[in-house]
Amino acid sequence: MKRLLPMLFASLASAVALAQAEPIVLNADCPPGFELSTGQCELRSLYQLYPSLQDAGVGGLKTGLPGWRDGFTPQQTDLGRYLFFDPVLSRDGTVSCATCHAPDRGFSDGLGRSVGINGSVLPRSAPSLWNVAFLNSFFWDGRADSLEEQMVGPLFDKHEMGSDPQLLLDTLNGIPAYRQLFAQAFPADFKSGDAEIRLDQVYAAITAFQVTLVSLNSRYDQYAHGYADALTEPEIEGLNIFRSFVARCAECHTPPLFTNQQVAVLGTPEPEGMPFDPGAQIPMNEPSQRGGFKVPSLRNIELTAPYMHSGRFATLREAVSFYTGGRGHAVPEGEELKIHWHIWEPNLTEDELDRLVDFLKTLTDESFKPEQPRRLPSGLQPMHQVIAYIGENDNGEEDHE
C-alpha cells in the first residue's frame, strides 16, 4: 500500500500525454438491453409486456416492472462508465466507485464492511448496483431518493472517497481529456470554448451508466418467460418454497426485482464486537424503524457474499437459515424492536433450506455486465487493475502491509 500513491501519480503525466495523443471517443451506441430512440437509450425487456405489480399479488412469474430510469444519451452513459472506474474522483486517487462496487463481485465488494480512503472501515457493506434503475430509495437505511442524491454521499464523505465539490471540479477541469469527453456528452453546455465541467453533469453521467446495470436474463427469467427446462427439479422446488405462504420469502423479495423496496426490521445480529446499528430510525426519525433496513434485491445474490447490512452471514445457507430460527431470536438483550410482521417461525427443514439456496442461485445473470475501461482519461489505472497490483510485492508475492 505504501507504494500506491507514488505509483499512481508518477504515471499520471505520461498517461495523460498518451490520452491526449490518442483521444478517447465516447461510444455512440446504447449498451445491451437498450435501444437508441430519438438520441436517447431506452430500456427494452420482456417484463415491460406484463401487468403491473399492483395486479399480481406477491409477484407472479409474469409480473411487470416498477418504474425505471432511462433516457440518457450513449455518450453520457459511456462518460459515466469512465468516471465510475476512475480513482481520480477520490481525494487521494486511491478509491473509485468500482472499489466498493466491483463488477466481478456483483457490483458489491465482497466485504462485510466496505473500506474507503486511508483504509477507513465503514459501518456497513456496499449494496449491489444491479437494477438500481428500478429503485425508489438508496442506501441501506433508504435516506436518498435518487441516484444523484445517493452519489453525493460516498463522493464527499471523509471516510469514503474524501473529496469535496470544489476539489472534484478543479480536478476534472484540470484534465484536458475529461473536458473533451464532457463536451462530447453534453454538447449544448460546451458551445463556448471556456465552458467548464459542472457537478450536475458529473452526477448525470454516473447515473446514466448506473441505470444500464440491468440484470433480468437469469435462468429464473427464462423459466418465467415460458422456457420450462431452464430450471432443474430441485430449483423449481426451491421456487415453490420461496413463493409459499409458509416461507413467505416472496412477500418481501417480490418478483421480478425480488424486493418490495420497503424498510423492514428483521432483528439480525451484528458481527461480534460491533454496536447495534439503528438503521432507518435515524433518517426517518421514527423509533419503530429502529434496526430497520431496506429489503435488498436478490438478483445476483450468489455473487455478493457476505450478507445483511454488515456482512453478518458468510453464506447464502446461513442467511436463509436465519429466517427459520424464530421471530426475534437474535435481537440483542436490551433492544425492543418492532419486528416486521412477515417474520415468523416457518420451521423449514434442512432439505427445504437447501432447495431455497438452489433457487436463489438461478437469479444470477451477468449477461449485460459492462466492459471495464482499459485506460482512463485521468491517466490513472482503473481500480480493478490497481487492486490487483496492491496484492503483490515486487517479487510477485503477497503484500500484507
Side-chain angles (χ1 to χ4, degrees), residues 15-297:
V16 168
L18 176 62
Q20 293 172 340
E22 301 177 11
I24 297 171
V25 177
L26 296 176
N27 198 333
D29 298 320
C30 294
F34 290 77
E35 180 180 26
L36 188 63
S37 176
T38 62
Q40 298 180 330
C41 298
E42 296 184 356
L43 177 69
R44 295 292 181 263
S45 168
L46 283 176
Y47 282 108
Q48 292 168 311
L49 304 177
Y50 302 152
S52 68
L53 183 61
Q54 287 77 7
D55 302 322
V58 296
L61 297 185
K62 289 182 168 59
T63 300
L65 294 162
W68 62 87
R69 296 279 304 269
D70 61 7
F72 297 94
T73 69
Q75 291 82 2
Q76 290 166 351
T77 300
D78 204 28
L79 171 59
R81 182 174 67 100
Y82 284 105
L83 291 168
F84 185 86
F85 287 97
D86 202 330
V88 80
L89 270 63
S90 65
R91 175 171 291 275
D92 60 3
T94 64
V95 175
S96 74
C97 303
T99 302
C100 291
H101 300 286
D104 293 337
R105 294 186 179 273
F107 281 95
S108 184
D109 59 10
L111 300 174
R113 299 167 64 196
S114 296
V115 178
I117 62 171
N118 302 319
S120 298
V121 179
L122 307 178
R124 297 172 184 158
S125 64
S128 171
L129 296 182
W130 280 115
N131 293 334
V132 291
F134 307 100
L135 301 185
N136 54 33
S137 66
F138 304 89
F139 293 112
W140 276 104
D141 55 17
R143 66 184 182 272
D145 295 328
S146 70
L147 282 167
E148 291 87 345
E149 182 184 356
Q150 179 277 325
M151 71 182 66
V152 171
L155 280 172
F156 305 137
D157 185 280
K158 64 181 180 179
H159 299 298
E160 295 191 50
M161 298 178 76
S163 191
D164 62 64
Q166 192 58 54
L167 174 61
L168 180 59
L169 289 177
D170 290 344
T171 299
L172 292 177
N173 279 299
I175 300 173
Y178 265 125
R179 291 174 64 91
Q180 295 168 10
L181 294 182
F182 272 84
Q184 292 178 39
F186 301 96
D189 296 334
F190 282 82
K191 290 181 179 179
S192 65
D194 59 350
E196 294 197 337
I197 297 168
R198 304 193 310 262
L199 284 175
D200 64 301
Q201 295 164 343
V202 176
Y203 303 155
I206 298 176
T207 296
F209 170 69
Q210 289 181 322
V211 301
T212 66
L213 304 178
V214 173
S215 179
L216 295 172
N217 192 34
S218 66
R219 289 194 296 117
Y220 161 79
D221 297 300
Q222 296 165 26
Y223 182 84
H225 295 320
Y227 179 46
D229 293 334
L231 300 185
T232 66
E233 286 300 321
E235 290 165 348
I236 294 173
E237 183 181 345
L239 168 60
N240 291 333
I241 297 168
F242 184 89
R243 289 176 50 78
S244 73
F245 287 104
V246 176
R248 306 178 73 170
C249 308
E251 294 180 14
C252 288
H253 295 286
T254 312
L257 289 189
F258 288 86
T259 173
N260 61 6
Q261 306 207 50
Q262 297 176 9
V263 168
V265 181
L266 305 183
T268 56
E270 301 290 354
E272 188 70 28
M274 280 188 62
F276 182 80
D277 189 330
Q281 177 189 11
I282 303 302
M284 291 186 178
N285 193 27
E286 174 51 60
S288 68
Q289 295 301 301
R290 182 170 178 78
F293 297 94
K294 278 197 64 181
V295 176
S297 171

